[in-house]
């Protein structure tokens, strides 16, 4: 039997269907984070790479109780298909969760999704045509950018500093793109405890950013998985609490409860909500009835706010351990100081490349995520994301000590071979979160 023509014409040694994929799959390359998970999962490696919540801090019996109660009392409903919008009671309960961040809304405007990742996918499907521009902080959440690119969007970064997205940079970027005739579809932002930068958009900037978006008819997609995981002070209220019509808000139970349930939600203005439901039905028929009912039961019977407090304590201790280890082992470098969430953004001395250095780090038994993973334009070589959410404090210290060995070794090499004395630490240059030099 002869081979199909297209296989001979456009296949390659690794994938005979290479030429058959849709053009939009060009952006679906395995992310650096994904490749890392395989390496970093070896037990001897201290992984500061992944963003896995420390689910062992959950009261296992309460989760088990919620599951058995659901099966006892609502088994046939839990095991059945449900509504494409999600379980009504759970949608109402998300309002209590969002109220903690100043958001008021109606359960009829909430759509339950399979994690907020799925909401990102549905939203992108609704709004992105090939060639559209999506604005995102530089750096930004890697797997959101993978989705945007899979819909053939052009991701344009807007610079940040320790107070989050810089309004002036946003204004300039919009003006430049408009002058180039580009169509800006939305601003994707993680204003609170940013992934990966670890910074939070200041209160003053929140209304300014919304004002700029309003003036330019740009929809805002607010992604907020970490907002309730503050260490001491509550962060400023969510963007959605300040503006309803121009903001689609994404929440999730992944970081405050557990990602294994795969339950998140979108709160959207009516018309968008309607389209999100249709897209949800088309994609998956309905979110998992079982997961939704278990979470709903858990929220009913457990002191979930106290549980979130426990998580806060766990992550605060880990963050403090990481920062004190950085101060001890890498005193000349700079890093962000998150007031909540999971991540620290580290800036390396000039001349070092976090991506090139990674294999040596893994050899030293420590893993991190290179900054390049978080830029659509190849920037970020001088940065890395360090996650403090998962490893125990003792491991975090060991990990940072190993990282220092790698960085100092690289510096020695560079000094030996370059010998130019041009090695200045980021601290010496007075730079902090290293916004990309080229914002386009
Ligand atoms: C900023 C951001 N958005 C979305 C997600 C996806 O979360 P979920 O588990 O709800 O799909 C993550 C997960 O790490 C994240 O950091």
């Amino acid at each position: 039997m002869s081979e199909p023509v297209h296989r001979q014409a456009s296949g390659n040694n690794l994938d005979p269907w290479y030429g058959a994929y849709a053009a939009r799959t060009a952006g679906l390359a395995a992310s650096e984070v994904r490749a890392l998970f395989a390496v970093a999962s070896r037990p001897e490696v201290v992984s500061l790479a992944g963003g896995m919540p420390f689910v062992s801090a959950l009261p296992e019996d309460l989760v088990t109780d919620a599951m058995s109660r659901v099966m006892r009392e609502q088994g046939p409903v839990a095991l059945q298909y449900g509504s494409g919008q999600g379980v009504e009671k759970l949608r109402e309960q998300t309002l209590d969760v969002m109220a903690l961040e100043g958001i008021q809304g109606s359960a009829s405007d909430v759509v339950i999704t399979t994690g907020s990742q799925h909401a990102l996918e549905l939203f992108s499907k609704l709004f992105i045509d090939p060639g559209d521009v999506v604005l995102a902080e530089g750096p930004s959440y890697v797997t959101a950018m993978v989705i945007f690119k899979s819909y053939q969007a052009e991701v344009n970064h807007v610079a940040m500093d320790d107070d989050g997205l810089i309004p002036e940079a946003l204004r300039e970027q919009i003006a430049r793109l408009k002058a180039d005739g580009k169509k800006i579809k939305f601003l994707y932002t993680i204003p609170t405890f940013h992934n990966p930068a670890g910074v939070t958009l200041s209160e003053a900037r929140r209304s300014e950013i919304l004002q700029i978006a309003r003036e330019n008819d740009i929809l805002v997609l607010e992604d907020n998985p970490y907002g309730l995981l503050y260490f001491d002070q509550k962060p400023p209220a969510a963007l959605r609490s300040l503006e309803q019509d121009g903001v689609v808000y994404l929440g999730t139970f992944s970081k405050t409860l557990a990602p294994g349930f795969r339950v998140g939600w979108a709160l959207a203005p009516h018309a968008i909500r309607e389209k999100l439901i249709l897209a949800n039905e088309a994609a998956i028929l309905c979110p998992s009835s079982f997961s939704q009912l278990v979470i709903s039961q858990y929220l009913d019977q457990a002191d979930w706010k106290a549980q979130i407090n426990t998580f806060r304590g766990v992550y605060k201790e880990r963050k403090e351990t990481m920062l004190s280890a950085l101060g001890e082992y890498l005193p000349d470098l700079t890093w962000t100081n998150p007031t909540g969430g999971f991540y620290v953004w580290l800036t390396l001395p000039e001349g070092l490349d976090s991506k090139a250095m990674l294999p040596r780090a893994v050899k030293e038994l420590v893993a991190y995520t290179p900054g390049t993973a978080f830029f659509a334009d190849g920037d970020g070589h001088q940065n890395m994301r360090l996650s403090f959410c998962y490893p125990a404090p003792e491991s975090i210290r060991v990990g940072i000590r190993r990282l220092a060995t790698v960085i100092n070794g690289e510096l020695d090499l560079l000094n030996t071979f370059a010998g130019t004395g041009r090695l200045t630490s980021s601290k010496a240059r007075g730079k902090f979160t290293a916004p990309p030099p080229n914002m386009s």
Side-chain angles (χ1 to χ4, degrees), residues 51 114-118 120 141 188 190 195 223 225-226 251-255 259 262-264 343:
T114 304
S116 52
Q117 190 65 32
H118 186 224
L120 286 167
Y141 170 50
Y188 169 67
I190 309 153
N195 177 7
D223 190 7
Y226 306 100
T252 179
F253 289 105
S254 286
K255 314 293 179 175
R262 306 307 301 126
V263 175
Y343 310 107

Side-chain angles (χ1 to χ4, degrees), residues 95 102-109 123 210-211 213-214 218-222 238-250 266-273:
L95 298 182
I103 298 173
Q104 291 183 330
S106 152
S108 65
D109 289 336
F123 184 89
L210 288 170
Q211 175 70 20
R214 246 191 323 268
I218 295 173
L219 191 55
V220 175
L221 180 57
E222 177 178 24
L239 295 176
R240 173 55 178 73
S241 73
L242 306 172
E243 155 90 46
Q244 304 199 354
D245 295 338
V247 177
V248 172
Y249 176 90
L250 305 186
L267 172 67
H270 303 297
I272 299 178
R273 180 256 350 238

Side-chain angles (χ1 to χ4, degrees), residues 417-434:
F417 291 107
T420 59
R422 70 185 177 87
L423 281 179
T424 42
S425 77
S426 46
K427 195 171 263 177
R429 294 193 322 276
K431 197 172 173 187
F432 38 163
T433 47

Side-chain angles (χ1 to χ4, degrees), residues 27 34 59 64 73 79-80 96 101 110 121 129-130 144 152 191 205 247 257 277 283 285 293-294 303 320 322 347 377:
R34 190 160 181 255
T64 314
E73 295 175 7
L79 299 179
Q80 194 50 273
D96 299 334
E101 303 205 55
V110 173
E121 167 79 28
D129 281 321
Q152 295 167 283
R205 284 188 183 177
V247 177
L257 181 53
I277 298 171
L285 300 179
L293 290 176
V294 171
D303 188 349
E320 282 171 355
M322 180 172 277
T347 303
D377 56 11

Side-chain angles (χ1 to χ4, degrees), residues 326-388:
L326 283 169
E328 186 175 334
Y329 296 117
L330 289 164
D332 290 335
L333 268 55
T334 54
W335 49 83
T336 53
N337 180 1
T339 51
F342 286 4
Y343 310 107
V344 166
W345 184 245
L346 183 88
T347 303
L348 291 170
E350 227 169 271
L352 292 199
D353 180 331
S354 61
K355 195 171 174 184
M357 205 173 73
L358 185 60
R360 272 179 288 266
V362 173
K363 195 160 167 276
E364 285 294 329
L365 305 180
V366 60
Y368 56 83
T369 312
T372 45
F374 306 100
F375 286 94
D377 56 11
D379 220 320
H381 285 276
Q382 218 187 315
N383 298 98
M384 65 176 66
R385 186 190 75 178
L386 299 173
S387 310
F388 50 81

